[in-house]
């Protein structure tokens, strides 16, 4: 009934939601027969369902390379994230992780749930890696070396300044952007992308995640993970964890808005990167997460729920973005709409109101200047629509058909 209610409130989400559910079921049935590739793609669905969906945009050869690349870095990230591993054990693993990619005998038990399975059966990823082309392997190894070294560096270094924050985000996400650009180029489907733009693609996504995941990170056991830079949060609290308490909500939201404003600086670079892509499948693969990022920032801005629980885009809008993002016109339209949403929430008493407005205006100007806004098919902000009894019947019927189809498969 929850989904029925959501669709009735947002009827434009109905068809995209249905498509997304059908695609998800199709992906589950298309797991490759080879044990190593079967493990890789099934694991991809368990550690990131959203990525498992978006990777399907890519052609087979590139899709395999990106799948392995993602899982190698996810494994590396699992080592970094596990706060129960002593530093004297963790750091050497981070520094030498690239050597383990092709070692079929290596595994290291850490993490929880699906991440633990990934680490325990990492030999399957090693086998898959061995079947990739040499140029793909070199790109994956290069990024793993650099990322592992960066993670090891921040085992002994706090994120204090904004420069530290940018550096940390470069190591854990900017390098992902650089690596993906290398894989795209290795596939001979794209030109070499400027490192600065590739880096911004990663930083925009990473900073969005760091903002959204504040409460989860600060409550991490046995030790909190703190990625918000001291240079920003110390203007609003004596201790970062103080922001989660309701009595500090005014200062907490101001700090949050400062963080969102910092992230928005990368938006124009992301638009430039996306506009340079030539291959439609690669474009969709890259564009959908970036739209999700600015949409999440728009939801987080001015929203004290970031400090109370999870703030995320509704599933129907996620499905619509995935289904209807087909051109740069759609990207410009989404960035314009979400920037406008942030603009409506700017409180002139907010300490960063002027800078936030400046960055929002710059994004909107970049979108308008293309002259493509009236050619888009995706509209993420709409006027409220009335729901008819016919629509209600259609919703119920489609959900019933979908449920019946799943039962028949069993």
């Amino acid at each position: 009934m929850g989904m029925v209610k959501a669709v009735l409130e947002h009827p434009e989400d109905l068809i995209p939601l249905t498509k997304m559910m059908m695609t998800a079921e199709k992906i589950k049935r298309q797991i490759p027969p080879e044990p190593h590739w079967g493990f890789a793609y099934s694991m991809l669905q368990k550690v990131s369902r959203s990525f498992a969906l978006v990777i399907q945009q890519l052609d087979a050869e590139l899709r395999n390379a990106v799948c392995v690349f993602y899982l190698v870095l996810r494994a590396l990230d699992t080592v970094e994230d596990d706060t129960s591993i002593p530093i004297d054990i963790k750091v050497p693993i981070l520094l030498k992780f690239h050597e383990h990619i092709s070692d079929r005998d290596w595994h290291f038990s850490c993490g929880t749930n699906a991440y633990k399975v990934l680490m325990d059966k990492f030999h399957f990823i090693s086998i898959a890696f061995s079947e990739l082309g040499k140029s793909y392997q070199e790109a994956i190894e290069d990024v793993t070396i650099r990322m592992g070294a960066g993670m090891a560096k921040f085992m002994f270094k706090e994120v204090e300044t904004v420069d530290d924050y940018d550096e940390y985000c470069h190591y854990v996400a900017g390098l992902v952007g650089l690596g993906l650009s290398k894989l795209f180029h290795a596939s001979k489907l794209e030109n070499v992308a400027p490192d600065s733009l590739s880096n911004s693609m990663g930083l925009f996504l990473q900073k969005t995640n760091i903002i959204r995941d504040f409460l989860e990170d600060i409550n991490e056991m046995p030790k909190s993970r703190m990625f918000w830079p001291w240079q920003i949060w110390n203007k609003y609290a004596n201790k970062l964890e103080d922001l989660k308490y309701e009595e500090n909500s005014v200062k907490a939201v101001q700090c949050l808005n400062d963080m969102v404003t910092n992230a928005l600086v990368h938006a124009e670079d992301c638009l430039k990167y996306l506009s340079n892509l030539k291959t439609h499948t690669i474009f969709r693969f890259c564009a959908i997460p970036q739209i999700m990022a600015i949409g999440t920032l728009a939801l987080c801005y001015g929203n004290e729920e970031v400090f109370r629980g999870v703030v995320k885009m509704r599933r129907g809008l996620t499905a619509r973005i995935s289904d209807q993002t087909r051109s740069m016109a759609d990207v410009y339209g989404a960035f314009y709409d979400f920037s406008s949403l942030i603009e409506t929430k700017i409180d002139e008493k907010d300490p960063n109101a002027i800078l936030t407005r400046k960055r929002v205006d710059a994004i909107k100007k970049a979108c308008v200047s293309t002259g493509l806004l009236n050619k888009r098919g995706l509209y993420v902000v709409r006027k409220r629509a009335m729901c008819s009894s016919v629509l209600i019947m259609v919703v119920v019927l489609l959900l019933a058909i979908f449920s019946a189809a799943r039962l028949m498969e069993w």
Side-chain angles (χ1 to χ4, degrees), residues 179-238:
L180 285 172
S181 292
K182 287 184 177 183
L183 294 179
F184 300 156
H185 181 60
S187 71
K188 298 181 171 55
L189 295 173
E190 294 292 342
N191 297 325
V192 178
D195 284 355
S196 60
L197 299 186
S198 299
N199 188 59
S200 282
M201 290 281 285
L203 263 63
F204 195 55
L205 298 181
Q206 182 65 19
K207 289 185 176 182
T208 298
N209 291 340
I210 286 174
I211 291 167
R212 181 199 62 198
D213 296 340
F214 170 86
L215 192 63
E216 177 184 337
D217 289 335
I218 209 71
N219 288 337
E220 179 76 20
M221 296 297 289
K223 182 182 178 182
S224 295
R225 295 189 297 163
M226 295 183 280
F227 302 116
W228 290 30
W230 176 89
Q231 187 178 349
I232 289 179
W233 65 257
N234 95 98
K235 293 182 287 185
Y236 308 97
N238 293 322

Side-chain angles (χ1 to χ4, degrees), residues 89-105:
I89 294 176
K90 179 181 292 190
V91 169
I93 296 174
L94 295 174
L95 291 173
K96 293 188 175 183
F97 200 88
H98 63 282
E99 298 177 4
H100 304 312
I101 303 174
S102 54
D103 182 356
R104 300 185 185 187
D105 296 323

Side-chain angles (χ1 to χ4, degrees), residues 10 18 29 34 49 56 83 104 129 170 172 178 186 210 267 285 306 309 328 330 342 377:
H10 302 278
T18 305
R29 295 193 300 268
E34 302 87 349
R49 283 182 297 175
Q56 296 302 315
T83 54
R104 300 185 185 187
F129 175 80
H170 164 73
V172 300
L178 269 68
I210 286 174
F285 170 79
V306 170
M328 276 307 298
D330 297 321
I342 293 174

Side-chain angles (χ1 to χ4, degrees), residues 145-197:
I145 291 171
R146 295 162 68 184
M147 184 178 291
M151 288 176 170
K153 178 179 180 178
F154 275 89
M155 289 293 106
F156 304 98
K157 180 178 181 180
E158 297 292 332
V159 179
E160 295 184 351
T161 68
V162 171
D163 286 343
D164 292 338
Y165 182 45
D166 286 343
E167 183 183 16
Y168 174 76
C169 289
H170 164 73
Y171 285 131
V172 300
L175 286 173
V176 178
L178 269 68
L180 285 172
S181 292
K182 287 184 177 183
L183 294 179
F184 300 156
H185 181 60
S187 71
K188 298 181 171 55
L189 295 173
E190 294 292 342
N191 297 325
V192 178
D195 284 355
S196 60
L197 299 186

